[in-house]
Amino acid sequence: VQLQASGGGLVQAGGSLRLSCVASGRTFSTYDMAWFRQVPGKEREFVATVRKSGGYTYYLDSVKGRFTISRDNAKNTVLLQMNSLRPEDTAVYYCAAGLRLILSTIRDPRGYDYWGQGTQVTVSS
């Protein structure tokens, strides 16, 4: 599986961005999909996950109510709608695909098998 993330950019605090991740291959619907983020000098941080069918989603507490993860299995795409952005949301955002995730590993980047190249999100104050 190859993942291509896009949609990052520079936005003022309170603004919105929508990240998109397109996956290659025919097996997209068999993967749980996630977004992580990372700032220099810090570990990669879980942001959100959507399970294979799209029926279950999980979020980092600080983004609940502001970010929404969704997927379209027909288009091999996972989206992250980010509203009410804050300067602390500034990071490189990565999409990831996991084939054998269990509930206890959803937030652990080591549980994911494939990663996109990252897209920069910068929120100015």
Side-chain angles (χ1 to χ4, degrees):
V1 174
Q2 291 186 325
L3 305 175
Q4 182 71 37
S6 62
L10 173 63
V11 64
Q12 289 187 334
S16 298
L17 283 174
R18 189 176 74 166
L19 305 184
S20 177
C21 178
V22 180
S24 64
R26 303 178 183 178
T27 59
F28 178 76
S29 62
T30 65
Y31 288 88
D32 295 319
M33 298 299 298
W35 289 94
F36 285 77
R37 65 188 182 188
Q38 190 169 24
V39 297
K42 291 191 175 182
E43 294 185 351
R44 195 162 292 190
E45 178 182 52
F46 166 80
V47 176
T49 289
V50 57
R51 299 304 291 257
K52 299 175 178 59
S53 67
Y56 292 93
T57 56
Y58 306 88
Y59 294 94
L60 176 69
D61 284 346
S62 64
V63 308
K64 284 181 182 177
R66 301 189 298 122
F67 290 11
T68 302
I69 188 170
S70 62
R71 67 188 294 161
D72 185 337
N73 287 342
K75 295 181 179 180
N76 283 15
T77 299
V78 60
L79 302 175
L80 184 68
Q81 178 66 43
M82 305 186 294
N83 299 328
S84 303
L85 282 161
R86 305 168 180 168
E88 54 264 38
D89 294 319
T90 295
V92 177
Y93 283 70
Y94 298 89
C95 61
L99 185 59
R100 290 172 293 274
L101 290 170
I102 57 176
L103 192 58
S104 61
T105 63
I106 280 176
R107 292 171 172 79
D108 188 342
R110 295 172 297 180
Y112 291 80
D113 303 291
Y114 301 98
W115 292 85
Q117 85 287 6
T119 184
Q120 176 71 46
V121 171
T122 303
V123 184
S124 63
S125 57

